[in-house]
Amino acid sequence: MIKRQEPVSEWRQDRARWKQVYDILRQEVERGEYKTGSPIPSLTQLEQAFPDLARNTIRKAVDRLEQEGFVRAERGVGTFVRPQDEWQPTGD
């Protein structure tokens, strides 16, 4: 789960940072760190976990998770993990 207090020490230069955040969050969802129906951290919490990134960078990663069916966003409530049979990763 997102418990980082320090920025990622070395971002890969050959992959966009939003994709790297997406990879981290997707791995956490796939490992079951966030159970089906439970919320993932809010954008504010993710900003604290990745203090060296802009909010829009983090939002883009979460948006991709939503597009691929890993999570569903409920405006004003949160973003929740969907059942595994609804996941549709693109392989990117």
Side-chain angles (χ1 to χ4, degrees), residues 6 71 81 88-89:
E6 301 175 13
V71 297
V81 177
Q88 300 172 4

Side-chain angles (χ1 to χ4, degrees), residues 60-77:
K60 190 168 183 177
V62 173
D63 287 347
R64 174 60 71 92
L65 285 173
E66 186 174 14
Q67 290 169 1
E68 295 188 351
F70 288 97
V71 297
R72 64 175 162 63
E74 293 184 22
R75 189 176 194 104
V77 179

Side-chain angles (χ1 to χ4, degrees), residues 15-54:
R15 189 160 170 85
R17 289 189 181 172
W18 74 264
K19 288 183 179 181
Q20 293 176 66
V21 172
Y22 160 84
D23 291 340
I24 292 167
L25 294 173
R26 177 178 165 176
Q27 289 170 5
E28 291 175 347
V29 168
E30 289 178 331
R31 282 195 306 260
E33 293 184 32
Y34 308 109
K35 304 293 182 203
T36 299
S38 69
I40 65 169
S42 68
L43 283 177
T44 300
Q45 291 168 321
L46 290 170
E47 283 180 287
Q48 293 170 356
F50 301 104
D52 52 337
L53 297 181

